[in-house]
C-alpha cells in the first residue's frame, strides 16, 4: 500500500480556497441559503458596530482617517482602471465584430421622435434658466444700487455730523447780524485752534509736547488770561509748570535773604573786633 504524499502548505491553502469558492457558489445558486447568509452577515456587522469593533470615519483618529482615506482612493482607482479596461475591450470587440444589421424603419422613426422631444425639452429648460438668470441679475443690480445709496447716505450723515470750524462759527453767531470781517476773524481763530489740536495730536513724546507748549504760550497769553484756552486746545496741564515757577520764586527769596544776612554780618560795626 503506497503512502500518500504530504501536501505542502501552499497546496493545502490552494485546495482550501477552491473548496470555499465552490461552497460560496453553491450558496449563491440557492436563493434561500444566500438570503440567510446575508442576513447573518448584516446581524454580525451591526453587532460588531455596537461593540465599537467597527468604527466610522468620524470616530477614528486623524492618523486612522488618513490611512482609511488612502485605502479608499486606492480601491477607487483600481475600480476605475477595471472599468476603463472593460470599456476598451468592448470597443475593440465592436471594431473586430461585423457590422450590425439595420434596424427597421419604425424603430428609426421612434428614435428620431425621442431625439426631437429631448432637444425640445432641453431648449425649454435652457430658455427657463436664461430667464431665471436674467431676473436674478436684475435683482442683484437693484440691490447693489440700493446698497450704494445707503452707503452714500451714511457717508453724508457722518460728514455732516463732524464739528468743523465753520459750523462752530455759525453756531456761535446764530441769530446775530455781524460784519463779514468779524466772521472771518472768528473763523481764523477756530481754524488756528483746529490746526494746533491736529499738530498736538501728532506728537508722541512728552518732551515734544512740552516744547510745543512753550512755543505757543507766552507773556501775551498770560496778560490777557488766555492760558486756559490753550490748555483746552492741547490738553497739556500747566500745573507742573506753575509749581516749578513757585519753587523758583521761593529759591530766589531764600537767596535774597541769604545775601542780606551775609551783607549784614560783613559790616564793620557788626564785627566782634570793633566791640
Amino acid at each position: 500500500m503506497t503512502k500518500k504524499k504530504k501536501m505542502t502548505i501552499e497546496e493545502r491553502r490552494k485546495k482550501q480556497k477552491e473548496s470555499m469558492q465552490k461552497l460560496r457558489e453553491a450558496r449563491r445558486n440557492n436563493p434561500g441559503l444566500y438570503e440567510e447568509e446575508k442576513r447573518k452577515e448584516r446581524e454580525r456587522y451591526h453587532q460588531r458596530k455596537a461593540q465599537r469593533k467597527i468604527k466610522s470615519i468620524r470616530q477614528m483618529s486623524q492618523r486612522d482617517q488618513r490611512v482609511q482615506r488612502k485605502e479608499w482612493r486606492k480601491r477607487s482607482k483600481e475600480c476605475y482602471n477595471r472599468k476603463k479596461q472593460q470599456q476598451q475591450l468592448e470597443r475593440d470587440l465592436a471594431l473586430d465584430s461585423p457590422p450590425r444589421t439595420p434596424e427597421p424603419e419604425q424603430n428609426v422613426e421612434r428614435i428620431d421622435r425621442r431625439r426631437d422631444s429631448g432637444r425640445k425639452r432641453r431648449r425649454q429648460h435652457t430658455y427657463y434658466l436664461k430667464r431665471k438668470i436674467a431676473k436674478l441679475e436684475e435683482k442683484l443690480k437693484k440691490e447693489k444700487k440700493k446698497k450704494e445709496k445707503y452707503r452714500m447716505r451714511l457717508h453724508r450723515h457722518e460728514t455732516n455730523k463732524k464739528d468743523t470750524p465753520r459750523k462752530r462759527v455759525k453756531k456761535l453767531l446764530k441769530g446775530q447780524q455781524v460784519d463779514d470781517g468779524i466772521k472771518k476773524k472768528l473763523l481764523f481763530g477756530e481754524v488756528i485752534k483746529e490746526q494746533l489740536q491736529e499738530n498736538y495730536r501728532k506728537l508722541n513724546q512728552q518732551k515734544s509736547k512740552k516744547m510745543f507748549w512753550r512755543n505757543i504760550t507766552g507773556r501775551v497769553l498770560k496778560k490777557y488770561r488766555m492760558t486756559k484756552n490753550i490748555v483746552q486746545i492741547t490738553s497739556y496741564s500747566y500745573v507742573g509748570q506753575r509749581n516749578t515757577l513757585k519753587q523758583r520764586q521761593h529759591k530766589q527769596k531764600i537767596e535774597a535773604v541769604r545775601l542780606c544776612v551775609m551783607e549784614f554780618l560783613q559790616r564793620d560795626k557788626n564785627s566782634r573786633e570793633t566791640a
Side-chain angles (χ1 to χ4, degrees), residues 191-207:
V191 170
I192 292 295
K193 178 181 176 182
E194 188 78 19
Q195 187 64 49
L196 289 174
Q197 287 178 347
E198 183 178 350
N199 294 342
Y200 183 78
R201 282 194 295 267
K202 292 179 181 179
L203 300 176
N204 297 325
Q205 297 181 357
Q206 190 68 20
K207 186 177 180 180

Side-chain angles (χ1 to χ4, degrees), residues 14 19 24 36 56 70 95 100 110 148 164 180 183-184 198-199 204 221 244-245 257 259 272:
K14 186 177 180 180
S19 61
R24 284 195 295 270
E36 183 67 20
S56 62
K70 185 177 180 180
L95 291 174
R100 299 173 63 182
R110 187 182 302 171
E148 187 66 20
T164 60
D180 292 340
K183 286 184 180 180
K184 287 184 179 180
E198 183 178 350
N199 294 342
N204 297 325
L221 286 174
T244 305
L245 180 62
V257 171
L259 292 175
R272 293 179 60 87

Side-chain angles (χ1 to χ4, degrees), residues 50-86:
Q51 295 174 357
R52 295 186 178 274
K53 292 182 179 180
I54 298 177
K55 295 181 180 180
S56 62
I57 190 69
R58 294 181 180 179
Q59 296 173 347
M60 295 181 182
S61 61
Q62 295 289 337
R63 181 183 179 86
D64 294 339
Q65 286 180 3
R66 289 195 296 270
V67 173
Q68 184 64 41
R69 289 191 175 109
K70 185 177 180 180
E71 184 67 23
W72 286 345
R73 287 194 294 270
K74 182 180 177 182
R75 292 179 184 177
S76 178
K77 189 175 182 180
E78 291 176 355
C79 180
Y80 173 75
N81 291 333
R82 285 197 301 270
K83 288 183 179 180
K84 194 173 181 181
Q85 291 175 2
Q86 184 67 23

Side-chain angles (χ1 to χ4, degrees), residues 6 22 25 29 37 51 61 64 66 68 81 94 100-102 104-105 115 139 141 154 157 159 166 214 219 232 268:
K6 290 185 178 181
K22 289 180 181 179
E25 288 178 357
N29 293 331
E37 185 180 1
Q51 295 174 357
S61 61
D64 294 339
R66 289 195 296 270
Q68 184 64 41
N81 291 333
R100 299 173 63 182
T101 56
E105 188 69 21
R115 184 174 62 244
K139 187 177 180 181
K141 188 177 179 181
L154 178 62
H157 177 71
T159 305
R166 196 180 301 277
R214 288 179 179 176
R219 181 180 58 82
Q232 293 176 1
D268 293 338

Side-chain angles (χ1 to χ4, degrees), residues 138-188:
E138 186 67 23
K139 187 177 180 181
L140 180 62
K141 188 177 179 181
K142 290 181 180 179
E143 292 296 329
K144 285 183 177 180
K145 190 175 180 181
K146 189 183 293 185
K147 176 188 172 184
E148 187 66 20
K149 180 182 72 173
Y150 287 119
R151 189 186 68 81
M152 290 300 298
R153 187 177 294 179
L154 178 62
H155 176 69
R156 286 193 297 269
H157 177 71
E158 291 179 351
T159 305
N160 296 331
K161 190 177 179 181
K162 187 178 179 181
D163 192 14
T164 60
R166 196 180 301 277
K167 286 184 180 180
R168 288 197 292 268
V169 171
K170 287 183 179 180
K171 186 177 179 181
L172 184 64
L173 300 177
K174 187 176 181 180
Q176 299 180 11
Q177 295 291 335
V178 295
D179 191 17
D180 292 340
I182 298 174
K183 286 184 180 180
K184 287 184 179 180
K185 288 183 179 181
L186 288 173
L187 182 60
F188 176 74

